[in-house]
Amino acid sequence: MLLLAVDTATPAVTVALHDGESVLAESHQVDARRHGELLLPSVDRVLAEAGVKLEALTGIVVGVGPGPYTGLRVGLVTASTFAAVLGIPVHGLCTLDGLAYAAGTAGIEGPFTVATDARRKEVYWARYEDPHTRVGEPAVDRPADIAEQVAGLPAVGEGARLYPEVFPDARGPEHQSAAALAGLAAERLAAGAGFLPPTPLYLRRPDAQVPKNYKVVTPQ
């Protein structure tokens, strides 16, 4: 097993190489505006550090979100392109599940909440019974609207740190880690568990919209 994991659903541009037992190399940069510029150089750097050729990969792991429209697509398109060219499978995982797995590695047992920044004064979030067990589906809400549902629970992710009045017990990790995502994928592959398709989990419409009632100008 040799998995390349990537995730661009959060401000983190994160890449890792995993052999089914441990992480061989990883790269992690936080820059919400440069996913497209940073991802491929990060992949090259990780492969070079591990001394592995791209052709040796047996699978691609990608975070499918939820996340903002543009950044999320960078990772998904890159992962799907690699998989198609190499003729290997691409395994989709919820980005929040990757953060939950990383929280478990950091010592959080559960229950807890994962919350990432959804902009527009909202968070992408989900509750977890433990690092492997999500309660329900991911959602996007204003923090104040979910205060009762997350009250008394520790929380991880950048969204939790942005709204301490709702998530007073915010803990690390703050950003997504491809190393954690790869570790989760390796466990699921070993157990014969399923994956999500490599399609974006947006939860809401993109910011860019076609203007309504715009004036149509036609030549006379």
Side-chain angles (χ1 to χ4, degrees):
M1 185 185 298
L2 199 56
L3 302 173
L4 179 70
V6 302
D7 197 315
T8 58
T10 70
V13 180
T14 180
V15 179
L17 188 66
H18 199 288
D19 66 0
E21 296 184 359
S22 61
V23 175
L24 303 180
E26 62 181 304
S27 173
H28 188 82
Q29 300 174 81
V30 178
D31 191 327
R33 298 181 180 275
R34 299 178 63 212
H35 293 92
E37 297 174 45
L38 296 175
L39 182 57
L40 288 178
S42 296
V43 170
D44 288 341
R45 186 164 54 252
V46 164
L47 292 174
E49 181 180 335
V52 170
K53 298 292 185 182
L54 191 63
E55 295 78 11
L57 298 177
T58 61
I60 308 292
V61 181
V62 63
V64 303
Y69 183 85
T70 303
L72 179 54
R73 288 180 64 87
V74 170
L76 286 165
V77 169
T78 301
S80 295
T81 300
F82 280 156
V85 170
L86 298 172
I88 58 178
V90 55
H91 309 294
L93 285 172
C94 173
T95 295
L96 301 183
D97 290 354
L99 271 162
Y101 184 88
T105 302
I108 298 179
E109 296 180 354
F112 61 93
T113 303
V114 174
T116 61
D117 183 17
R119 304 173 186 172
R120 303 185 193 174
K121 298 182 179 180
E122 295 178 330
V123 292
Y124 297 118
W125 71 284
R127 284 185 54 178
Y128 290 79
E129 283 299 320
D130 57 59
H132 291 85
T133 310
R134 177 164 26 94
V135 180
E137 296 299 318
V140 58
D141 290 288
R142 290 184 177 273
D145 294 341
I146 62 172
E148 292 186 5
Q149 299 178 64
V150 302
L153 296 177
V156 302
E158 184 186 22
R161 295 191 180 277
L162 287 173
Y163 301 98
E165 68 280 5
V166 175
F167 305 101
D169 189 8
R171 308 181 187 180
E174 183 175 351
H175 294 290
Q176 173 66 309
S177 161
L181 200 70
L184 175 59
E187 288 188 10
R188 294 184 66 85
L189 284 167
F195 289 86
L196 297 173
T199 53
L201 181 60
Y202 290 132
L203 299 187
R204 68 184 183 201
R205 296 176 61 84
D207 292 332
Q209 301 288 331
V210 176
K212 296 180 179 180
N213 303 318
Y214 61 88
K215 183 178 180 180
V216 178
V217 180
T218 56
Q220 298 295 325

